C-alpha cells in the first residue's frame, strides 16, 4: 500500500520509525524488536538507512519482513550519500522485488570515516526525480519546522523544500520538535509558499537526558522550558525519563490531532515499550 492512500483518508494515523542493525550480529535482536512494534498494527513503519548506505541490505530485509509477516506497509529510507545512478537503479529493483512501494528520499550525512564518497547526487530533490522515473513509488522527503541547520534563513529553506516537492515528493515528514507552535507556524508558511503535500509530524519520546542533549546539539532543536524541566528532573533515571518522555510525547500528539495535524510518526528508536506506551495512551484518539 502506498502511504498516500493512508493520508488521503484524512483520518489520524500513527506510525513508527525503526533502524536496522549495523552488523549481522545484531540482526536477530533488531528483527525481534521491530516485530514487536509491528505487532501493534501501526498505520505504517519506516526503516532507516545507515550513514553512507552502510545498512542498505538490512534496511530492505527488515522492511520486507515487517510487511510480509505483519501486513504493515513499510517506508524504506534511501540517502544520496554514496549512491550512483547505477546503484539507485539496483536498489529500486530490489525494493520492487521485496514488494516495497514507499521510499523516504534523504540527502543524508557523509560519515566522518569516509574519506572519498562516490555519488551522482547532491540533494534529495535530485534523487527524488530519478526514483520517480524508476518505478511506481510513493516518495517522501524530510522537512525542518525550525529550518535546516545549513540553510542561510527560513525563507531559503522553504524555497529548497518547494524544489523538493516540485521534483515529485508525495509527502513530507518533519524532523522532531518539542514545541507544537513551531509546527503550526511552519505549516502556515509552507502552505503560503504553495507546498500542498501531506505533512507528517515527527515526534520523539525522550527516554534519556544525555540522548536529547546530543541530538539537539546537532540539529539545533528548540527545547521549551517545560520540557527542559522534565529532562533536568528525570534525565538520569531511565525508568522515570521513559515514562515522562512518553507522557510529554502523548500530550504533543493529542494537541496536534486536535489542531488538524492528523499524521504522526514516532521515532521509537527500536523500543517496543515506547511504541506500545504511545499506542496505549492514544486509544480512542487514533
Amino acid at each position: 500500500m502506498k502511504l498516500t492512500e493512508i493520508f488521503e483518508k484524512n483520518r489520524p494515523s500513527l506510525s513508527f520509525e525503526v533502524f536496522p542493525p549495523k552488523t549481522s550480529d545484531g540482526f536477530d535482536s533488531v528483527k525481534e524488536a521491530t516485530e514487536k512494534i509491528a505487532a501493534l498494527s501501526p498505520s505504517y513503519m519506516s526503516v532507516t538507512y545507515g550513514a553512507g548506505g552502510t545498512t542498505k541490505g538490512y534496511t530492505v530485509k527488515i522492511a520486507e519482513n515487517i510487511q510480509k509477516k505483519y501486513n504493515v506497509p513499510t517506508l524504506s529510507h534511501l540517502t544520496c550519500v554514496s549512491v550512483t545512478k547505477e546503484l539507485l537503479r539496483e536498489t529500486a529493483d530490489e525494493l520492487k522485488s521485496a514488494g516495497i512501494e514507499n521510499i523516504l528520499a534523504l540527502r543524508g550525512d557523509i560519515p566522518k570515516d569516509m574519506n572519498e564518497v562516490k555519488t551522482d547526487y547532491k540533494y534529495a530533490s535530485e534523487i527524488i526525480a530519478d526514483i520517480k522515473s524508476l518505478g511506481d513509488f510513493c516518495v517522501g522527503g524530510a522537512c525542518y519546522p525550525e529550518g535546516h541547520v545549513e540553510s542561510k534563513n527560513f525563507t531559503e529553506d522553504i524555497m529548497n523544500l518547494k524544489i523538493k516537492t516540485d521534483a515529485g515528493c508525495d509527502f513530507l515528514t518533519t524532523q522532531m520538535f518539542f514545541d507544537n507552535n513551531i509546527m503550526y507556524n511552519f505549516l502556515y508558511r509552507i502552505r503560503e509558499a504553495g507546498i500542498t503535500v501531506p505533512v507528517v509530524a515527527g515526534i520523539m519520546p525522550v527516554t534519556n537526558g544525555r540522548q536529547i542533549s546530543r541530538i539537539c546539539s546537532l540539529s539545533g532543536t528548540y527545547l521549551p522550558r517545560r520540557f527542559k524541566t522534565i529532562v533536568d528532573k528525570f534525565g538520569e533515571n531511565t525508568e522515570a525519563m521513559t515514562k515522562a518522555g512518553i507522557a510529554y510525547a502523548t500530550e504533543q500528539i493529542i494537541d496536534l490531532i486536535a489542531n488538524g495535524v492528523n499524521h504522526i510518526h514516532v521515532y521509537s528508536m527500536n523500543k517496543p515499550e515506547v511504541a506500545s506506551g504511545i499506542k496505549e495512551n492514544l486509544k480512542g484518539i487514533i
Side-chain angles (χ1 to χ4, degrees), residues 224-243:
R225 181 179 296 276
R226 176 170 170 266
F227 183 78
K228 285 182 179 179
T229 301
I230 292 172
V231 175
D232 289 344
K233 178 68 175 178
F234 304 114
E236 297 301 317
N237 183 325
T238 302
E239 182 180 0
M241 189 65 238
T242 297
K243 290 180 179 179

Side-chain angles (χ1 to χ4, degrees), residues 204-267:
M204 175 175 279
V206 175
T207 60
N208 181 297
R210 289 185 295 275
Q211 165 201 30
I212 195 60
S213 297
R214 178 181 177 277
I215 291 172
C216 289
S217 68
L218 295 173
S219 64
T221 302
Y222 167 71
L223 298 182
R225 181 179 296 276
R226 176 170 170 266
F227 183 78
K228 285 182 179 179
T229 301
I230 292 172
V231 175
D232 289 344
K233 178 68 175 178
F234 304 114
E236 297 301 317
N237 183 325
T238 302
E239 182 180 0
M241 189 65 238
T242 297
K243 290 180 179 179
I246 290 172
Y248 189 92
T250 299
E251 288 185 16
Q252 270 194 278
I253 293 168
I254 291 172
D255 181 77
L256 287 165
I257 293 173
N259 284 280
V261 180
N262 277 335
H263 308 298
I264 310 297
H265 192 57
V266 178
Y267 300 118

Side-chain angles (χ1 to χ4, degrees), residues 145-213:
E146 297 172 66
H148 195 283
V149 291
E150 295 178 17
S151 290
K152 294 178 183 177
N153 52 56
F154 206 70
T155 300
E156 180 186 77
D157 194 53
I158 292 178
M159 181 181 69
N160 290 333
L161 193 60
K162 184 69 164 59
I163 292 172
K164 192 183 294 186
T165 55
D166 287 347
C169 184
D170 296 301
F171 68 94
L172 297 165
T173 301
T174 77
Q175 184 185 51
M176 64 177 182
F177 57 91
F178 297 96
D179 183 339
N180 285 2
N181 288 324
I182 290 173
M183 177 65 168
Y184 301 140
N185 181 60
F186 171 72
L187 288 173
Y188 174 79
R189 294 189 67 172
I190 66 170
R191 297 314 187 204
E192 286 289 297
I195 297 171
T196 60
V197 298
V199 179
V200 182
I203 298 296
M204 175 175 279
V206 175
T207 60
N208 181 297
R210 289 185 295 275
Q211 165 201 30
I212 195 60
S213 297

Side-chain angles (χ1 to χ4, degrees), residues 82-187:
S82 78
V83 173
T84 61
K85 289 184 179 293
E86 181 181 358
L87 181 58
L88 181 63
R89 191 176 300 107
E90 292 174 2
T91 302
D93 290 340
E94 186 178 0
L95 291 169
K96 288 176 194 174
S97 296
I100 298 168
E101 300 178 279
N102 306 290
I103 298 174
L104 186 66
L106 306 164
R107 187 196 70 174
D109 299 316
I110 298 175
K112 294 179 181 179
D113 58 347
M114 290 182 70
N115 297 323
E116 186 176 343
V117 178
K118 183 180 180 182
T119 179
D120 289 328
Y121 303 96
K122 187 175 181 181
Y123 301 110
S125 56
E126 297 170 347
I127 202 170
I128 287 169
D130 275 7
I131 291 170
K132 283 290 191 178
S133 72
L134 292 172
D136 186 21
F137 291 106
C138 172
V139 183
C143 60
Y144 305 85
E146 297 172 66
H148 195 283
V149 291
E150 295 178 17
S151 290
K152 294 178 183 177
N153 52 56
F154 206 70
T155 300
E156 180 186 77
D157 194 53
I158 292 178
M159 181 181 69
N160 290 333
L161 193 60
K162 184 69 164 59
I163 292 172
K164 192 183 294 186
T165 55
D166 287 347
C169 184
D170 296 301
F171 68 94
L172 297 165
T173 301
T174 77
Q175 184 185 51
M176 64 177 182
F177 57 91
F178 297 96
D179 183 339
N180 285 2
N181 288 324
I182 290 173
M183 177 65 168
Y184 301 140
N185 181 60
F186 171 72
L187 288 173

